[in-house]
Amino acid sequence: MRSTVGVRIPGLLVLAVSLIGCGNNNSASTGTTKPQTLQNYFAPTSLLQPWLTNTIDDANHKYSQIQYGDEGTYSEVLTAGNLTVNPRGLRILGFTTQYATGSSQPVATYDPPLSGGFALELAGQAGGLIQPMQTPQSSAPVVVPVKPMVAAINCPNFSAAQTYLFITLLGSSGGWNAATDTAYGTVDISTNGTAVNFNNIAQFTLPSAGVSGTPAQPSSATKSGVCNQTSFGQLVAVPGQVATTDPGGIHQSRPPQAQIGIGPNQLLVEDNGSATALFPAGASTSPFLPYENVLGAGYGAVGLPRSSSPVDTGSAVGSQYLGFVYATGDPSNPVSFSGSSHVASFGFSAVPSACSSVAASTSTLIYGGDFKNDDPSSSSDGFGNCDFAIDLGPQDSANNGLYRNATVWVGAGYSGNTTGENYSFSAVAIAGQLSGKYAIFLLGKDASQPWAIYLLQSN
């Protein structure tokens, strides 16, 4: 079932969320501890979902989105619903209520709930991933980028500088140029009270796309910010000129500013921010938003603390994961909002024989894929199709957890593969551990579009 409801906020039409998925199992995740609290998560803004927090209440099986309105004059619930948890820890979201701006009265209710989106939470609700999907008032769905989210409970406090690896977060369609824009990088983060310094910032283009490997307009080597309490949690504002509470709408004028949240397990999530408008003059050109480029391009960055020793690649690819595979769509048409995003499972307790047709096995390769009809409940064992493969390749000798020469295979049967044939493309990946569990974040580009893959260990 698909349903579309338009909700007007000042200067912007926020569309009802209509998502694909279902589930009936309420058992606790086997990959995380069972939280007993309501958690507000900070996630970067994207073109179709600006200035929202995502709230997950695992104790009462509830989910909501809270929007922040024009000029910072209000905050209110936009959508609300329920969640179920499948045996591997995937949160399956179902929407029950849509609210109008400026009113506590619902404009639409759904019984049974609209088929929902998906979310993954790290142990102790320290952060995770969320995949909503919006549909406009037409028959064609609009794919919203999958987002990392973080519980910005406290300001970062490092006794010594911590080196991070990060990759760019891809927006919709034309928001990132693989040949010129940052794909990945490293940064040393230090703190002194509420002051946060980002030193030795190094940013690089996708190795397979860039000639020199360095963006045409790299960030300065050092940035400074201030950690403040905001509506989204305790975030680091760079350059620190504005302590954002309700961040305001398209009429508010404020300088370009990034906001960065670092969770209790050190997951880093950056929102590059917006200067004056969601759709500035010349919005048909890339990028959509003027931003304070601290760590990435696109609409932000996601980062992991660099391991003090080389990542055990064999152990990483031998683990099981849940996550998302996102393709932006045609980068030459930045307002098309085409593309695909699918909940995915990687790693098998027993590798299916069909995997060999996707790619030949190596010691650094992990198989995975999507679920039939994006419905994890259709799988009897909780694992998805085998129509995708990631070969991390060699680990960088200077940066533990960095894989500059990864390769991705897209099987002919993958639902996001429009070619009808198996093919591969080059990518860059970062890997590390959060609270003792592996995370793998990857970015690449095939002949037609950029791709991002975000995986969190589930076993």
Side-chain angles (χ1 to χ4, degrees):
M1 173 182 177
R2 290 188 180 276
S3 177
T4 305
V5 179
V7 178
R8 176 71 62 179
I9 66 174
L12 179 68
L13 178 69
V14 176
L15 301 165
V17 182
S18 176
L19 303 135
I20 302 173
C22 58
N24 299 306
N25 193 319
N26 288 317
S27 62
S29 166
T30 58
T32 64
T33 58
K34 184 178 180 181
Q36 294 292 334
T37 186
L38 180 149
Q39 182 62 59
N40 293 319
Y41 288 108
F42 165 68
T45 62
S46 64
L47 190 59
L48 296 177
Q49 288 204 317
W51 311 305
L52 299 175
T53 59
N54 297 280
T55 298
I56 294 179
D57 183 350
D58 283 299
N60 296 298
H61 304 290
K62 300 295 183 182
Y63 165 78
S64 63
Q65 287 181 314
I66 301 174
Q67 69 169 342
Y68 295 87
D70 191 51
E71 308 276 341
T73 57
Y74 64 84
S75 60
E76 61 192 0
V77 176
L78 175 64
T79 57
N82 56 30
L83 66 85
T84 57
V85 185
N86 84 352
R88 295 186 61 206
L90 181 67
R91 272 65 175 162
I92 302 170
L93 311 177
F95 286 88
T96 59
T97 313
Q98 185 82 23
Y99 294 91
T101 295
S103 173
S104 60
Q105 298 301 311
V107 296
T109 58
Y110 306 95
D111 186 13
L114 281 181
S115 295
F118 304 99
L120 291 166
E121 290 183 282
L122 293 164
Q125 292 187 299
L129 303 167
I130 189 164
Q131 175 59 74
M133 183 182 291
Q134 290 180 316
T135 57
Q137 293 174 336
S138 70
S139 59
V142 171
V143 177
V144 178
V146 58
K147 299 179 180 183
M149 56 186 188
V150 66
I153 299 170
N154 297 303
C155 290
N157 182 15
F158 298 132
S159 58
Q162 170 67 63
T163 300
Y164 270 80
L165 307 173
F166 62 86
I167 65 168
T168 281
L169 295 173
L170 294 178
S172 300
S173 297
W176 180 71
N177 187 322
T180 60
D181 293 342
T182 299
Y184 72 99
T186 61
V187 60
D188 297 332
I189 303 177
S190 60
T191 62
N192 183 10
T194 59
V196 182
N197 296 312
F198 301 84
N199 299 314
N200 303 315
I201 302 171
Q203 302 195 67
F204 305 95
T205 54
L206 194 67
S208 59
V211 176
S212 66
T214 302
Q217 295 180 326
S219 170
S220 64
T222 299
K223 294 279 188 179
S224 297
V226 177
C227 186
N228 297 285
Q229 179 64 49
T230 76
S231 298
F232 306 111
Q234 298 201 44
L235 301 182
V236 181
V238 180
Q241 297 171 335
V242 180
T244 302
T245 52
D246 288 357
I250 65 173
H251 303 300
Q252 181 174 351
S253 178
R254 56 190 175 91
Q257 178 171 268
Q259 295 187 106
I260 298 169
I262 298 178
N265 61 0
Q266 298 191 51
L267 174 68
L268 180 149
V269 176
E270 178 202 32
D271 179 346
N272 276 335
S274 172
T276 57
L278 186 63
F279 293 97
S284 61
T285 61
S286 172
F288 285 105
L289 302 178
Y291 55 80
E292 175 66 30
N293 183 10
V294 179
L295 301 179
Y299 67 92
V302 60
L304 300 171
R306 187 177 69 185
S307 174
S308 59
S309 58
V311 169
D312 185 339
T313 306
S315 177
V317 299
S319 299
Q320 282 111 46
Y321 298 85
L322 287 168
F324 301 92
V325 177
Y326 171 64
T328 68
D330 182 5
S332 67
N333 186 0
V335 294
S336 68
F337 310 123
S338 60
S340 63
S341 187
H342 300 284
V343 62
S345 168
F346 276 75
F348 294 90
S349 52
V351 178
S353 59
C355 292
S356 60
S357 65
V358 178
S361 178
T362 74
S363 62
T364 55
L365 183 140
I366 182 171
Y367 292 110
D370 55 358
F371 292 89
K372 183 179 179 180
N373 299 322
D374 278 337
D375 180 5
S377 69
S378 66
S379 170
S380 59
D381 60 3
F383 292 91
N385 301 319
C386 193
D387 50 21
F388 227 89
I390 299 169
D391 193 333
L392 292 176
Q395 187 169 184
D396 188 76
S397 59
N399 287 289
N400 300 324
L402 174 62
Y403 299 84
R404 300 176 190 264
N405 298 300
T407 304
V408 176
W409 277 268
V410 185
Y414 177 66
S415 55
N417 184 351
T418 60
T419 69
E421 300 178 351
N422 292 349
Y423 71 94
S424 65
F425 61 88
S426 298
V428 62
I430 60 174
Q433 290 197 333
L434 299 169
S435 301
K437 299 287 186 179
Y438 286 107
I440 299 174
F441 303 141
L442 177 146
L443 186 149
K445 184 181 182 299
D446 66 14
S448 63
Q449 63 185 336
W451 291 74
I453 302 174
Y454 309 106
L455 303 178
L456 298 177
Q457 185 180 348
S458 59
N459 62 328

